[in-house]
Amino acid sequence: MTVPQPPEPLPGARLLFSLDPSVSHLNHGSFGAVPIAVQRAQQRLRDEMEANPLRFFTQGLVDRIAHARRHLATFLGADPDGTALVGNATAGVAVVLQSLGLRPGEEVLTTDHGYGAVAFSVERECQRTGAVSRTLPVPLDATDEEIVEIVRAGLRPGRTRLLIVDQITSPTARLFPAAAIVGVARERGVPVLVDAAHAPGMLPASVASIGADFWVGNLHKWAYAPRGTAALVVAEPWRERIQPLVVSWEQHSGFPARVEWQATLDYTAWLAAPVGLFTLRTLGLDRVRAHNAALAAYGQRVVGDALGVAPSHLPEPGGPAVAMRLIPLPPGLATTLEAAQALRARIAERLAAEVSVAAWNGRGWLRLCGQVYNTADEYDRLAIRLPTLLAQG
């Protein structure tokens, strides 16, 4: 079967990044890549901070953070007054969990597509409070309607205190029907936290249109912000209940300042984040999204073909808009977290290719991403060399 043609490269896009050209960076979804212009903007801010730390931290910094927040929240389609900047999506989840006041016997409901660190956070908070964690299994090939019904059947009104669902899942690149899930949970009086770590920059969906009680997303992945930039969006009825993980001098200012201000934190990433959005818009939002999704689809097909995976067995759980794709690895490979990490490191070392390898539901999965700095030949080279490496065990 003919492999679909890759998209036309975006002229000059590769030159916007300082990535090592000897490595194929096919895993943008893990840590992103910061454009050079954004790096320089952040460095100027760091120079300003180091030139006079006292002035930087005490003269208008809270207002500068609020200005950056308003810019980022507007891009996300969120209420700036209900948005707090945090270090990453996992930190935002932790803020919500410890603000709920969970009690013994109550439960936090998740799915088996959730991010590992979020699962650890849920586990820790349940151990601390006496609440319990319960996980709903969701088949990779489930339709949106089936996912909604699985969630509907899994909710326990009066006991389920929080439902956590991903907008785009990390291990399986699955696009969940977040708005429909929120609607079902609201009918049963269950608050929902949407983990949208991969959504900002990749998807055009508005946060407000999802309607979740809590929504958290990283801007340092697909929105070109410096690392350590994420947004926690909280619905109005919950804002006064949200408490920071660490109390600071802005504690009495209420949400969001009490969450954002952490004394001597390096805030330059947040202040430089709007430059990332400027870079994204300069390239063209729609053009970048279409390019990245099409390139990821090309990479999935060419590598899948090389591994002998029939096109019908290549999952497309995210749909055509998601710039991350999965390829099932041969049975017996990378079936545990440790084995997956070891295989990823071996691919990086021997093939000079950065990819994501995950163990999910007893199977090893290779995840490939598409980004404007990638080219079709990078996936072609991986397709040529990967089967030999995997055959070596």
Side-chain angles (χ1 to χ4, degrees):
M1 185 174 292
T2 304
V3 175
Q5 292 299 305
E8 286 294 322
L10 274 61
R14 178 64 180 81
L15 300 177
L16 298 176
F17 297 85
S18 56
L19 294 164
D20 182 352
S22 69
V23 176
S24 296
H25 302 272
L26 308 178
N27 186 21
H28 185 89
S30 283
F31 295 99
V34 184
I36 294 171
V38 183
Q39 295 179 40
R40 290 175 176 170
Q42 185 179 15
Q43 187 57 51
R44 287 193 295 270
L45 288 161
R46 285 180 174 143
D47 292 343
E48 177 190 348
M49 176 173 63
E50 296 306 334
N52 191 331
L54 188 64
R55 180 173 61 193
F56 181 85
F57 281 96
T58 62
Q59 294 187 17
L61 181 55
V62 172
D63 290 337
R64 293 173 74 177
I65 294 170
H67 178 76
R69 180 213 312 140
R70 286 193 292 272
H71 193 106
L72 299 174
T74 300
F75 172 77
L76 296 171
D79 178 4
D81 293 333
T83 303
L85 299 181
V86 292
N88 53 45
T90 308
V93 170
V95 168
V96 173
L97 285 171
Q98 63 89 37
S99 297
L100 284 177
L102 292 170
R103 295 175 294 185
E106 295 179 332
E107 70 174 20
V108 178
L109 186 62
T110 60
T111 78
D112 59 354
H113 293 251
Y115 186 58
V118 170
F120 292 153
S121 188
V122 171
E123 178 184 357
R124 186 188 68 170
E125 191 63 17
C126 287
Q127 289 175 347
R128 189 180 70 84
T129 61
V132 296
S133 172
R134 188 162 56 92
T135 302
L136 293 175
V138 177
L140 185 61
D141 59 355
T143 66
D144 285 355
E145 292 75 14
E146 289 169 342
I147 293 174
V148 171
E149 288 308 311
I150 289 170
V151 171
R152 188 195 307 272
L155 293 171
R156 297 173 178 173
R159 182 175 180 184
T160 305
R161 188 69 187 285
L162 180 69
L163 168 66
I164 302 179
V165 294
D166 295 71
Q167 192 166 348
I168 304 173
T169 66
S170 180
T172 58
R174 166 80 214 204
L175 179 63
F176 270 35
I181 291 172
V182 169
V184 166
R186 179 165 288 117
E187 292 173 358
R188 286 155 175 73
V190 176
V192 181
L193 189 163
V194 173
D195 180 354
H198 291 276
M202 187 196 295
L203 298 181
S206 164
V207 173
S209 69
I210 295 173
D213 301 88
F214 315 99
W215 180 99
V216 61
N218 293 321
L219 289 111
H220 54 244
K221 293 182 182 287
W222 302 91
Y224 297 162
R227 291 173 198 88
T229 307
L232 169 63
V233 183
V234 179
E236 188 170 2
W238 290 95
R239 292 173 191 172
E240 287 306 309
R241 298 178 58 177
I242 296 297
Q243 294 292 333
L245 299 176
V246 179
V247 174
S248 73
W249 284 101
E250 291 296 318
Q251 177 65 17
H252 298 298
S253 298
F255 185 86
R258 67 158 59 122
V259 170
E260 292 175 333
W261 186 253
Q262 296 292 307
T264 52
L265 190 72
D266 184 350
Y267 300 97
T268 60
W270 299 354
L271 300 181
V275 182
L277 299 187
F278 176 81
T279 304
L280 189 57
R281 289 186 173 113
T282 300
L283 289 170
L285 272 169
D286 292 339
R287 186 167 68 150
V288 168
R289 287 166 175 155
H291 170 275
N292 293 347
L295 192 56
Y298 172 81
Q300 181 194 42
R301 283 291 301 277
V302 72
V303 176
D305 281 355
L307 296 182
V309 181
S312 60
H313 291 161
L314 289 173
E316 193 180 345
V322 174
M324 303 191 297
R325 292 295 182 106
L326 287 185
I327 302 163
L329 292 171
L333 283 180
T335 58
T336 66
L337 174 62
E338 294 74 19
Q341 291 173 338
L343 178 57
R344 187 211 63 78
R346 193 149 58 94
I347 293 172
E349 179 183 356
R350 298 188 185 181
L351 305 186
E354 296 291 353
V355 300
S356 174
V357 180
W360 186 78
N361 275 8
R363 183 77 185 259
W365 300 86
L366 179 74
R367 191 191 73 188
L368 298 176
C369 300
Q371 188 49 261
V372 296
Y373 51 73
N374 293 129
T375 57
D377 65 287
E378 294 179 297
Y379 305 92
D380 295 337
R381 289 197 302 270
L382 180 64
I384 292 170
R385 303 176 65 191
L386 184 60
T388 300
L389 182 143
L390 296 182
Q392 294 170 353

